[in-house]
Amino acid sequence: MYDYISGKLMFKSPSYVVIDAGGVGYHINISVNTYSGISDDEKCKLFAWLHVKEDAHTLYGFATEGERRLFLHLISISGIGPNTARMMLSSISPAEIQAAIVSGNVSLIQRIKGIGPKSAQRIILELQDKLRKEGPDTLTVVPVSQTVKDEALSALVMLGFARNVAEKVLDQEIKKNNGELTVEELIKFALKTL
């Protein structure tokens, strides 16, 4: 429902912030990682996710799109709710969580409060392939000025193709056509090969 909330930072604590956006104060739960990423400037922008339950609507905010994406991966696992995922993102950085999942480091994930050995193994089992497929740069901020290849690669990864395989196919198509393709043409040619 919400992609991001941008406005004046009214209150900031390690567990939540209040952002005034258009005269409405939004109470947004955050991780310690996001807390450290928010400056004390008046202007604040957080990527948001709304959790709807019978008795509450709770907003969660993230300093980066990558952190939100990892949060959504974590809560997709049975037994991991939004508060547990937020605890994980507060305990170690998103990059460390992703590296631990991809490398199968059960002990590092198990050290997070509230995560036992079975939960740690389930997290790795269910997310390892997804995070490998997305690649190590999934948590980095996407540059504003993308090349034709970058945009096509992003689209193919979103369609479910492995990043490394899609990148090889795109490189081949670019060489064949001397780099003179639009994003749409490049994607169409790549889809025929994939």
Side-chain angles (χ1 to χ4, degrees):
M1 181 176 183
Y2 299 106
D3 189 50
Y4 65 87
I5 295 177
S6 179
K8 184 178 180 183
L9 182 64
M10 302 303 286
F11 179 79
K12 174 183 166 186
S13 78
S15 60
Y16 74 94
V17 295
V18 176
I19 297 178
D20 181 338
V24 177
Y26 291 94
H27 180 283
I28 305 171
N29 293 301
I30 60 171
S31 67
V32 173
N33 180 66
T34 293
Y35 175 77
S36 63
I38 299 173
S39 64
D40 290 329
D41 298 339
E42 272 193 20
K43 192 82 172 139
C44 182
K45 175 182 176 181
L46 291 178
F47 294 93
W49 181 75
L50 177 64
H51 183 226
V52 179
K53 295 190 308 189
E54 279 183 27
D55 59 344
H57 289 195
T58 310
L59 274 171
Y60 291 88
F62 310 93
T64 65
E65 173 62 37
E67 184 182 6
R68 177 173 63 180
R69 194 176 308 121
L70 182 58
F71 175 85
L72 293 174
H73 280 311
L74 291 170
I75 63 171
S76 72
I77 297 167
S78 175
I80 305 291
N83 284 325
T84 303
R86 185 170 65 142
M87 175 64 75
M88 291 178 73
L89 292 168
S90 294
S91 301
I92 57 178
S93 75
E96 290 172 317
I97 293 171
Q98 183 177 15
I101 291 170
V102 169
S103 66
N105 188 344
V106 176
S107 62
L108 179 62
I109 294 173
Q110 195 177 326
R111 275 188 251 152
I112 299 168
K113 184 181 179 213
I115 303 294
K118 287 184 179 178
S119 293
Q121 289 170 347
R122 190 177 332 111
I123 290 167
I124 289 171
L125 180 70
E126 292 188 30
L127 293 181
Q128 195 170 43
D129 288 340
K130 283 182 188 176
L131 295 179
R132 271 195 191 131
K133 195 175 187 182
E134 288 181 3
D137 58 346
T138 188
L139 295 178
T140 58
V141 176
V142 178
V144 175
S145 58
Q146 289 187 321
T147 64
V148 170
K149 179 187 169 191
D150 291 337
E151 288 186 39
L153 180 60
S154 176
L156 291 171
V157 169
M158 291 294 282
L159 289 172
F161 294 100
R163 178 177 288 275
N164 56 349
V165 174
E167 196 162 15
K168 286 178 187 174
V169 170
L170 290 175
D171 287 336
Q172 292 169 355
E173 293 300 332
I174 290 170
K175 279 183 187 176
K176 272 193 232 174
N177 296 287
N178 297 324
E180 297 178 13
L181 293 171
T182 66
V183 174
E184 293 82 11
E185 291 170 336
L186 188 55
I187 291 170
K188 285 178 185 176
F189 285 131
L191 286 173
K192 288 178 185 173
T193 308
L194 289 169

